């Protein structure tokens, strides 16, 4: 390991996916050397919006991923581990079952952080490598569109204001696009209108705290945004290097969103860069992104593959 660096592991457990980053980080120089980054769709938030509980099968999927990650952390020799849990485990009445399982497998207790803390980590992870350059205008608005919630953060080098609202790709899909236990394929105009109205109300809430329209650069994080970028670029497979710091225009986001809302499951699944776990929820996630861009008048979104995971790694260091 280079001098001045420490090896850390960060785990981000969200509503739809759980992710791991093992990296060597140097707080003095601001360098982060990635050793292993992986993501598993576990749908921990399956049914939480309706039942208020984490489903047994969702817990088992999550614990299976944790066992895989524990092996990677041991192999790489990370000295410090931080496990952050987000929206789904904040909402669940049986979250103690989740905590016990994680401690048994990884030896660390998951920190069920607030939406505001989540936003701070996302902002740090997304902007730490942008703040040294002058090519993007400040302040930044970082939006992290998750499964159960979306975080909004405005700031320059540091956070000025942050807010988390309960609008995410899984929550919107389950609330508006599911009929008789299955995702409507494709949704009706009425379903889309109801979902759009829900998103607009959430944006109203966010604007009570965060000056969204003051931002001069929109930075988008998480799977809904990165998948829209992959579709916009017609990538033959998911390519993190091509997606990281790509820019997608508002017109292109609108075109992709409208197509996703008209498409069938089979058509979405046929997109080569589409993760199978996102097929049913990508339309809702894209609509959240489009609604944000239209609200603030953003001409484009800068897409970042560095997000809350990187922010958690910096916090460990």
């Amino acid at each position: 390991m280079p001098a001045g660096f420490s090896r850390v592991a960060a785990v981000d457990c969200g509503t739809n996916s759980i992710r791991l980053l093992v990296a060597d980080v140097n707080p003095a120089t601001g360098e982060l050397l990635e050793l292993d980054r992986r993501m598993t769709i576990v749908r921990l938030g399956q049914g939480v919006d309706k039942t208020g509980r984490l489903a047994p099968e969702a817990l088992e999927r999550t614990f299976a991923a944790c066992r895989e990650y524990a092996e990677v952390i041991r192999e790489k020799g990370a000295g410090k581990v931080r496990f952050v849990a987000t929206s789904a485990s904040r909402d669940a009445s049986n979250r103690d079952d989740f905590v016990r399982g994680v401690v048994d497998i990884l030896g660390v207790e998951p920190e069920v952080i607030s939406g505001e803390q989540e936003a701070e980590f996302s902002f740090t992870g997304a902007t730490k490598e942008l703040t040294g350059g002058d090519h993007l205008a400040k302040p930044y608005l970082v939006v992290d569109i998750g499964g159960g919630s979306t975080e909004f953060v405005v700031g320059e080098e540091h956070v000025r204001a942050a807010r988390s609202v309960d609008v995410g790709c899984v929550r919107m899909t389950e609330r508006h696009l599911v009929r008789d236990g299955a995702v409507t394929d494709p949704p009706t105009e009425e379903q889309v209108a109801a979902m759009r109205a829900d998103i607009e109300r959430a944006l109203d809430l966010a604007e009570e705290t965060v000056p969204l329209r003051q931002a001069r650069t929109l930075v988008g994080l998480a799977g809904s945004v990165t998948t829209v970028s992959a579709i916009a670029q017609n990538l033959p497979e998911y390519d993190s290097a091509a997606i990281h710091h790509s820019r997608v225009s508002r017109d292109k986001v609108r075109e992709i969103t409208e197509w996703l809302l008209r498409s069938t499951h089979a058509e979405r699944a046929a997109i080569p860069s589409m993760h199978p776990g996102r097929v049913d929820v990508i339309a809702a996630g894209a609509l959240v992104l489009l609604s944000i861009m239209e609200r603030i008048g953003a001409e484009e979104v800068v897409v970042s593959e560095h997000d809350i995971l990187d922010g958690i790694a910096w916090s460990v260091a």
Side-chain angles (χ1 to χ4, degrees):
M1 198 187 313
F5 284 79
S6 57
R7 184 159 297 177
V8 301
V11 181
D12 167 38
C13 186
T15 303
N16 195 45
S17 63
I18 183 169
R19 299 180 305 140
L20 169 70
L21 171 64
V22 180
D24 292 338
V25 292
N26 187 332
T29 63
E31 293 175 273
L32 184 149
L33 307 177
E34 180 181 314
L35 300 175
D36 197 301
R37 187 188 297 260
R38 58 185 68 196
M39 182 268 289
T40 311
I41 300 285
V42 294
R43 297 292 287 272
L44 179 63
Q46 172 193 332
V48 165
D49 199 43
K50 184 177 180 181
T51 68
R53 294 180 61 80
L54 298 169
E57 60 271 27
L59 283 170
E60 185 44 50
R61 290 193 298 267
T62 305
F63 295 155
C66 286
R67 286 188 281 271
E68 174 193 328
Y69 292 178
E71 187 60 33
V72 174
I73 291 167
R74 280 193 294 271
E75 286 176 359
K76 298 294 183 184
K80 297 177 181 176
V81 181
R82 188 169 190 180
F83 188 115
V84 168
T86 54
S87 179
S89 50
R90 277 202 303 270
D91 301 339
S93 61
N94 61 334
R95 58 182 175 266
D96 288 349
D97 296 339
F98 168 69
V99 171
R100 281 194 300 272
V102 171
V103 171
D104 287 347
I105 296 165
L106 285 166
V108 294
E109 186 165 326
E111 300 173 56
V112 183
I113 61 173
S114 69
E116 285 67 32
Q117 288 174 296
E118 193 174 338
E120 293 263 1
F121 284 144
S122 293
F123 185 83
T124 301
T127 65
K128 199 166 185 72
E129 61 191 340
L130 301 178
T131 52
D134 299 321
H135 60 294
L136 293 175
K138 301 171 186 174
Y140 308 119
L141 169 61
V142 174
V143 293
D144 187 341
I145 303 173
S149 62
T150 295
E151 282 64 57
F152 297 84
V153 199
V154 164
E156 289 83 15
E157 281 75 14
H158 302 287
V159 172
R160 188 198 302 175
R163 182 73 181 263
S164 177
V165 294
D166 285 340
V167 169
C169 60
V170 174
R171 194 185 296 269
M172 289 298 93
T173 299
E174 291 189 347
R175 186 177 291 174
H176 297 289
L177 305 185
V178 173
R179 293 290 182 273
D180 300 321
V183 175
T184 308
D185 196 21
T188 65
E189 289 184 11
E190 291 76 16
Q191 286 175 303
V192 174
M195 180 165 61
R196 183 66 180 255
D198 212 357
I199 295 167
E200 293 296 335
R201 284 191 293 271
L203 292 176
D204 291 340
L205 280 177
E207 280 202 287
E208 291 177 2
T209 309
V210 181
L212 303 181
R213 299 170 208 248
Q214 291 181 18
R216 297 187 62 199
T217 296
L218 174 64
V219 182
L221 315 183
S224 292
V225 180
T226 58
T227 301
V228 166
S229 173
I231 296 170
Q233 297 181 65
N234 291 313
L235 295 180
E237 60 185 6
Y238 193 93
D239 182 345
S240 292
I243 291 167
H244 188 49
H245 289 174
S246 61
R247 303 184 186 196
V248 188
S249 71
R250 183 172 70 229
D251 287 345
K252 192 65 177 177
V253 172
R254 182 181 296 111
E255 175 189 322
I256 291 168
T257 302
E258 290 175 351
W259 181 85
L260 289 169
L261 287 167
R262 293 193 308 269
S263 65
T264 64
H265 178 96
E267 288 170 332
R268 295 189 300 276
I271 297 170
S273 56
M274 180 75 68
H275 190 288
R278 295 204 185 278
V279 173
D280 285 334
V281 299
I282 184 60
L287 184 60
V288 173
L289 174 61
L290 176 62
S291 301
I292 293 167
M293 297 182 77
E294 291 179 343
R295 172 68 68 103
I296 70 173
E299 294 295 330
E300 66 177 13
V301 57
V302 179
V303 181
S304 179
E305 284 274 16
H306 292 184
D307 49 27
I308 188 172
L309 261 185
D310 303 75
I312 296 167
W314 284 113
S315 76
V316 177

